[in-house]
Amino acid sequence: MTAPAVLPPLSAGANRILRLFALTALFCVLVAAVLTLSQPQRDSFWRNLWFSECIGLWAAFCGALVHQLPWVRRRGPRAAVLIALAVGAPLGYVLGYTTAYAVLGEPVHIAGAADARLAAIGATLLAAGFVSYLSWLRSRLRSEATARASAQQLAAESELRMLRAQLDPHMLFNTLANLRALVDEDPASARQMIDRLITYLRAALAASRSEHATLQAEFTQLAAYLDIMALRLGARLRYTLELPEALQGWPVPAMLLQPLVENALRHGIEPKIGGGSVCVSARRTEQGLEIEVSDSGLGLPPEPLPPSEADASYGLVYVRERLRARYGQRASLHLLRGQPSGTRAIVRIAA
């Protein structure tokens, strides 16, 4: 038994066109009702409805078609609406009347001075104006949504720059304090830490010059950071990095993962007696990309945190804002309990 065929989902543009025609059809019902009530001796409601729908849908089609022309869109939203109305209304009137009479099998009467013709022209102008207003309103809402998204992205980028300004000195001071102690006690480890610090600072400098990075660059920076932390914590920290070769060039916001790794160390590994392990992995899924930062540390508290406290934890707000500014609803961050212990932070980015 063969499975039924599944129709592909409609695109955003097709959905907008369908909504436009649906609203036009409903508006034409109102126009037909007004015409019938104002001139009940002329035509029945159903005849008025037929002519109104033909004229309104043709006007909507012509206006939408004109509005999509590149030279019309370049003139700005208001001018584009006026041009679409000026062209769509007369074309919709002529084509609508022709279609309605042709289907009814009656002689075509488009022009005339009768009251019915004036009413039809008025109804056409109302329908075309309504459709043009909807088009202008949709364009304005889309522009406002774009402006809001741009403002959110700028805010997130400002937060990123503030984070970099705080992160590098914090990392540098702690590492230099450890170096000072190692210089006399263990010169070999001190030299190794200096090498790791140079690698980390080089990667952080490259990330500071761009708002985006590849997964390979992100994992290189994490490797240098975790090497330094492993020298500081010794046997208390073990880590693994798993990045398939096919995903090395995948673009992501710069320094997206380091706050999650710092969270794992600060709240999971360092407070736990005996330490633990950290694993950062990336994998391709049917929906897109999935990155996981997991640790075997203390884990989340037994009772779930209130939303305000959970969202305010270090790094989570930053990562969520970065994802929202870059991808909107196409990306998410989830915090889960590890098994048998620890925490899992999972970033999902739709393709």
Side-chain angles (χ1 to χ4, degrees), residues 7 11-12 16 18 31 39 55 64 87 92 95 118 134 142 158 186 195-196 220 244 306 318 321 328 336 345:
L7 295 176
S11 64
R16 287 196 298 268
L18 288 178
V31 171
Q39 296 180 338
I55 294 173
V87 177
L95 294 174
L118 295 176
L134 289 179
R142 185 165 57 246
S158 298
D186 191 350
D195 292 338
R196 299 294 186 271
T220 299
Y318 161 77
E321 288 299 322
L336 306 174

Side-chain angles (χ1 to χ4, degrees), residues 97-259:
Y97 252 106
T98 303
T99 302
Y101 278 120
V103 174
L104 293 176
E106 300 178 6
V108 178
H109 301 287
I110 297 176
D115 294 340
R117 297 293 176 269
L118 295 176
I121 293 174
T124 302
L125 292 175
L126 286 175
F130 176 73
V131 171
S132 300
Y133 172 74
L134 289 179
S135 178
W136 171 80
L137 183 61
R138 185 175 65 249
S139 176
R140 179 177 178 179
L141 292 176
R142 185 165 57 246
S143 299
E144 291 178 352
T146 302
R148 285 195 301 270
S150 177
Q152 290 177 354
Q153 184 170 3
L154 289 175
E157 302 304 342
S158 298
E159 291 180 2
L160 174 62
R161 287 189 286 271
M162 291 177 60
L163 175 67
R164 287 169 178 163
Q166 297 171 1
L167 180 63
D168 291 344
H170 175 77
M171 172 70 181
L172 185 61
F173 293 152
N174 285 343
T175 304
L176 290 177
N178 279 268
L179 276 173
R180 187 174 184 277
L182 287 175
V183 166
D184 296 328
E185 299 176 3
D186 191 350
S189 295
R191 287 193 296 271
Q192 188 177 4
M193 182 174 284
I194 290 174
D195 292 338
R196 299 294 186 271
L197 181 60
I198 291 173
T199 302
Y200 170 80
L201 292 178
R202 183 180 292 115
L205 179 62
S208 68
R209 293 173 176 172
S210 174
E211 304 301 341
H212 310 292
T214 62
L215 274 179
Q216 183 178 14
E218 283 287 288
F219 272 66
T220 299
Q221 183 173 344
L222 289 179
Y225 172 74
L226 287 169
D227 278 344
I228 295 172
M229 297 303 297
L231 288 172
R232 288 172 52 187
L233 297 177
R236 299 184 64 242
L237 172 62
R238 302 173 301 280
Y239 73 88
T240 56
L241 300 175
E242 302 172 1
L243 177 62
E245 184 176 355
L247 297 179
Q248 291 181 0
W250 193 295
V252 293
M255 296 183 70
L256 178 70
L257 303 178
Q258 179 149 337

